[in-house]
Amino acid sequence: MLFAFIAVMLVVGKFVISGAVDDVIEANAERKAGTWASYLVKSVPDLQNLIKSGEPTAAQTAVIDKAVQVADVFRFKLFDEEARVVLISDELDRPLEAGAKTDHNGNALTVLTTGNPVIDLQDGRQKDNRPDLYVEAYVPIVSAAGQPIGVVEVYLDQTPVAALFERNYLYLVGALGLVVLASFGVPFVAYVLKMRQQVRTGEKVRLLSSRDQLTGLHNRATFFHKVKDALDAGDLDLGKAAVIFIDLDKFKTINDTFGHKAGDEFLRHVGNAISRSLTPDDLAARLGGDEFIIISGKRDMPAVERLIEDLREAVSEPVRVDGIALTGHLSIGVHFDPAPGLDLKERMHKADIALYQAKLMGRNTWVRFTPDLEEKIARRQFVEECIVAGFPQNRFEVHYQPLIEQTTLKVVGFEALLRLSDGDGNYIPPAEFVPIAEEAGEIAAIGAWVLDQATRSAVTWPDHLFVSVNLSARQFEEGTLVACVKACLERSGLAPERLELEVTENMLIEQEDKIIHQLNALNALGVSLAMDDFGTGYSSLGYLWKYKFNKLKVDRSFVSSLTGADSKSRHVLDTIISLGHRLDMTVTIEGIETEAQVEALNSLSCDHFQGFYYGVPMPAQELAPFISNTIETARRKGGAHKLRLAEKPEGPARDAG
């Protein structure tokens, strides 16, 4: 009877343990597959392009050959973002067979849809070129931005793992038999303890697979599952929840400057700050890279604001890594709107728009989404698209506005002004597209093109006319400005003294160290230097003589207030003009638009006038007739200048000149 009982126990035990073994093997395989997929993303160069093409380069092939020797992996397949197989690691030397494009399409599609791995335990004893026991693990491939770009099916040899558990089982069976013969209670206790240990192991494996290993927060897949479960259970109402997107400012700089160890430590710092701020009604995750998300289910907006400020304060505290104190800040976007009908994806998109705006505002701040913000960002993205299309579609143009000598009313030169068409014949205001081009890193190339166009046009004008070109701070950052100016002068044949380069005072304040040597070099080339918009910054007199400026361009704000009852602006303007002349500088007054302004300015000893009153910016092909018919001649013939004035553009298309 005892032996029969022992036999029954052993059979039942084997069945239970076998099932537990399968569970642990699958959990172990899922962990290994996820780790290996991360290794693949980091190791294969230009993996995203490989997923699209399915044709590996020599460098990619070398990595693939090495990859199938890592973490018990003996084979893998790549699927693109539409769940179509594009590459099989052990079939690189021959094309995919007919029908292979749909191989395992269902499992790959499930992974892309849910973001969760699919684990399939296989018996390979009846298959060629397969281990006795292996796992086919379908794992999402996530880009650096945290977006799924494909699926990898990893073939993992689990035979050694199974053998280990089988050996342990045999040992357990032998020991159990001996002990049961001596005592009935001891094997039962041993069995219970073993099962508990396995349960704890399984729970630990599942916990690790659901968490971001660096920060301890939920990973992306688990986060969305938790949200869905909370919605299904009625524990979360999106209409009463705040969706908070968090981005670590300039995290790449921390990584590049101090190394990945420092970057990882700072991510832990941010994760800890978020964890400490959560309540049972909140869900948080690290979406990938330096991006985090919080869904706060039961806070009102003032409480959300307190949460955000607490997070910003906690993250701004220094973190010490190897004796170095690291500090960082957060950009945050919030969507909090009771409007029905918006699902989680839409609310996250709107929070992301708010985050984008926070970055545009200089980072280290937070923005709450509003409907007008969506229109604003859409407009910005449209302008960015126009900038990108500027050169390929010939949307950039250079227009020229005349500068007039005060005493003779003759044209002495033109200022080159950049214009950008939206593709429908309308011009985007420079004040709108130039800052965007600067932030996008396009302004250096655009500025070089304007210089080239301006010098090529100016060389066709009469020799006494000069061309003036505005410079951007970004052009100085490249360190190639002097070489660019020299090359443009040589290509066009324009005399250096006929080129005038305009620099704003704010540029000198913000990055004097980068500019000083380049300004001296430009001066040595023989070009003229002008300080533009004088009077809008600190108006530091030191800049005027330190950099040997040849011209002072007074900001239009002085002219706009010149005809008022208060005479103080006239006295200030007169002082500026006198100062410029004492420093041997030519003084230009910008923004002249009315007859009254002209009459007020005629009592001052200025040099050059510029504004819509004397001429609007015009394309290069319109310059010849304008040059031949000077303002002085136009006035004698009865008000041709007023015809020009009548043509001046209205609204935002007007240029600051």
Side-chain angles (χ1 to χ4, degrees):
M1 184 70 180
L2 178 61
F3 287 102
F5 177 73
I6 293 173
V8 171
M9 275 189 59
L10 293 179
V11 170
V12 173
K14 181 176 181 180
F15 176 81
V16 173
I17 292 174
S18 178
V21 168
D22 287 349
D23 290 342
V24 174
I25 287 175
E26 290 180 2
N28 177 64
E30 179 177 340
R31 177 184 59 79
K32 283 188 176 181
T35 302
W36 185 88
S38 299
Y39 162 80
L40 188 71
V41 171
K42 295 177 181 177
S43 302
V44 176
D46 199 10
L47 178 60
Q48 192 161 359
N49 188 54
L50 175 59
I51 293 173
K52 291 181 179 179
S53 68
E55 298 178 359
T57 63
Q60 291 170 335
T61 300
V63 175
I64 289 171
D65 291 339
K66 182 179 179 182
V68 294
Q69 304 172 18
V70 176
D72 301 329
V73 175
F74 62 91
R75 187 175 192 249
F76 70 88
K77 297 180 182 179
L78 288 180
F79 297 84
D80 62 19
E81 59 185 6
E82 295 181 12
R84 297 176 302 191
V85 64
V86 297
L87 181 144
I88 303 175
S89 64
D90 57 358
E91 296 181 13
L92 297 180
D93 56 345
R94 59 182 183 271
L96 296 174
E97 297 178 359
K101 283 289 185 179
T102 59
D103 193 11
H104 298 295
N105 184 25
N107 286 336
L109 186 60
T110 299
V111 173
L112 289 169
T113 303
T114 66
N116 294 325
V118 174
I119 308 300
D120 192 6
L121 190 63
Q122 297 282 342
D123 185 349
R125 288 173 293 184
Q126 304 301 321
K127 300 178 182 179
D128 295 332
N129 302 321
R130 294 290 186 271
D132 289 348
L133 185 68
Y134 67 98
V135 166
E136 294 178 13
Y138 295 79
V139 183
I141 300 176
V142 181
S143 68
Q147 297 298 321
I149 59 176
V151 174
V152 59
E153 178 189 1
V154 186
Y155 288 68
L156 287 161
D157 184 1
Q158 294 295 286
T159 306
V161 178
L164 174 64
F165 279 97
E166 288 176 2
R167 285 197 301 271
N168 290 339
Y169 170 74
L170 291 175
Y171 296 148
L172 178 62
V173 168
L176 188 62
L178 292 174
V179 174
V180 167
L181 290 173
S183 171
F184 176 78
V186 174
F188 178 76
V189 173
Y191 169 76
V192 170
L193 292 176
K194 186 68 176 179
M195 289 302 297
R196 285 182 177 178
Q197 181 181 1
Q198 290 178 347
V199 169
R200 286 196 297 270
T201 301
E203 289 176 349
K204 183 177 180 181
V205 170
R206 284 190 291 274
L207 177 63
L208 290 175
S209 66
S210 69
R211 295 283 179 175
D212 174 62
Q213 299 299 300
L214 201 59
T215 63
L217 298 173
H218 290 307
N219 58 29
R220 186 185 189 91
T222 304
F223 171 77
F224 287 110
H225 275 297
K226 292 285 186 181
V227 172
K228 183 178 184 302
D229 290 345
L231 290 173
D232 292 343
D235 296 331
L236 176 64
D237 181 356
L238 290 178
K240 298 178 180 179
V243 179
I244 305 169
F245 261 28
I246 302 171
D247 193 89
L248 187 54
D249 291 342
K250 300 181 179 179
F251 177 66
K252 185 176 184 300
T253 302
I254 295 177
N255 260 337
D256 293 346
T257 305
F258 303 105
H260 289 287
K261 178 182 177 182
D264 289 351
E265 193 60 39
F266 207 88
L267 287 173
R268 291 190 190 95
H269 173 58
V270 175
N272 291 337
I274 292 174
S275 297
R276 291 194 301 267
S277 303
L278 300 180
T279 69
D281 298 315
D282 300 329
L283 284 170
R286 180 186 174 202
L287 295 180
D290 60 348
E291 296 179 346
F292 299 82
I293 186 172
I294 299 174
I295 292 186
S296 184
K298 296 183 179 179
R299 283 185 172 95
D300 57 15
M301 196 58 209
V304 170
E305 292 180 14
R306 288 194 296 272
L307 167 64
I308 291 171
E309 293 304 327
D310 289 344
L311 279 176
R312 294 179 62 205
E313 181 179 355
V315 170
S316 65
E317 295 178 359
V319 177
R320 290 202 166 271
V321 181
D322 295 335
I324 301 172
L326 303 178
T327 57
H329 303 286
L330 303 178
S331 292
I332 299 175
V334 181
H335 179 265
F336 194 6
D337 188 346
L342 293 178
D343 60 18
L344 177 61
K345 183 178 180 181
E346 292 171 311
R347 293 175 187 273
M348 288 176 62
H349 173 68
K350 295 180 186 300
D352 197 26
I353 288 176
L355 172 61
Y356 185 69
Q357 179 63 23
K359 293 179 180 179
L360 293 179
M361 293 169 61
R363 302 177 184 269
N364 190 21
T365 188
W366 69 278
V367 172
R368 180 180 178 182
F369 175 85
T370 56
D372 63 303
L373 187 59
E374 192 162 18
E375 296 177 6
K376 182 178 179 180
I377 297 301
R379 171 65 181 180
R380 180 187 174 88
Q381 291 173 340
F382 171 73
V383 174
E384 288 178 348
E385 293 170 0
C386 291
I387 292 171
V388 172
F391 288 129
Q393 298 181 14
N394 297 317
R395 293 193 185 183
F396 286 121
E397 301 175 18
V398 179
H399 289 192
Y400 300 88
Q401 186 174 35
L403 288 97
I404 309 301
E405 190 173 53
Q406 180 188 20
T407 55
T408 65
L409 296 180
K410 291 181 179 179
V411 178
V412 292
F414 293 88
E415 180 177 357
L417 299 169
L418 180 63
R419 295 291 182 261
L420 174 63
S421 170
D422 64 1
D424 293 326
N426 303 310
Y427 289 113
I428 300 171
E432 182 179 10
F433 77 79
V434 169
I436 296 176
E438 289 179 333
E439 292 171 10
E442 300 289 339
I443 200 65
I446 296 172
W449 179 82
V450 172
L451 270 169
D452 185 70
Q453 295 295 307
T455 52
R456 289 178 186 272
S457 292
V459 79
T460 66
W461 305 341
D463 291 342
H464 68 282
L465 298 179
F466 66 87
V467 64
S468 182
V469 180
N470 293 279
L471 296 180
S472 165
R474 291 295 178 91
Q475 290 174 269
F476 285 95
E477 290 180 3
E478 298 285 333
T480 58
L481 177 61
V482 177
C484 177
V485 172
K486 186 177 180 181
C488 288
L489 290 172
E490 291 175 351
R491 280 196 301 267
S492 65
L494 184 71
E497 61 269 17
R498 294 182 60 195
L499 175 62
E500 180 177 278
L501 301 176
E502 299 186 15
V503 179
T504 64
E505 184 184 11
N506 287 336
M507 290 166 56
L508 299 173
I509 295 171
E510 293 169 1
Q511 48 180 343
E512 182 177 1
D513 292 340
K514 292 182 179 180
I515 291 179
I516 181 169
H517 300 298
Q518 296 179 74
L519 286 180
N520 291 336
L522 290 171
N523 214 316
L525 285 179
V527 301
S528 177
L529 298 178
M531 178 178 281
D532 194 18
D533 298 336
F534 185 79
T536 58
Y538 290 96
S539 303
S540 173
L541 304 183
Y543 291 131
L544 299 181
W545 62 266
K546 185 176 181 179
Y547 297 107
K548 300 179 182 179
F549 282 101
N550 307 99
K551 177 182 284 188
L552 191 65
K553 299 192 74 173
V554 182
D555 186 69
R556 61 186 295 122
S557 59
F558 289 95
V559 175
S560 62
S561 61
L562 193 61
T563 56
D566 192 347
S567 62
K568 291 181 180 179
S569 61
R570 183 185 180 283
H571 294 319
V572 173
L573 188 55
D574 188 28
T575 301
I576 293 174
I577 294 171
S578 299
L579 173 64
H581 288 163
R582 285 183 176 273
L583 295 175
D584 295 325
M585 301 172 68
T586 301
V587 180
T588 297
I589 305 296
E590 298 181 287
I592 304 171
E593 299 187 0
T594 67
E595 185 82 33
Q597 291 171 347
V598 173
E599 292 177 357
L601 288 169
N602 280 335
S603 62
L604 303 175
S605 301
C606 187
D607 300 297
H608 297 160
F609 286 168
Q610 182 180 356
F612 291 126
Y613 182 83
Y614 293 104
V616 298
M618 64 196 82
Q621 60 268 25
E622 295 184 17
L623 295 182
F626 189 89
I627 292 172
S628 62
N629 184 18
T630 63
I631 295 297
E632 182 181 17
T633 304
R635 291 175 69 88
R636 287 202 307 268
K637 291 184 177 180
H641 68 291
K642 291 186 178 180
L643 175 62
R644 173 64 61 186
L645 179 63
E647 295 173 349
K648 73 179 181 181
E650 299 295 334
R654 292 176 58 179
D655 191 87

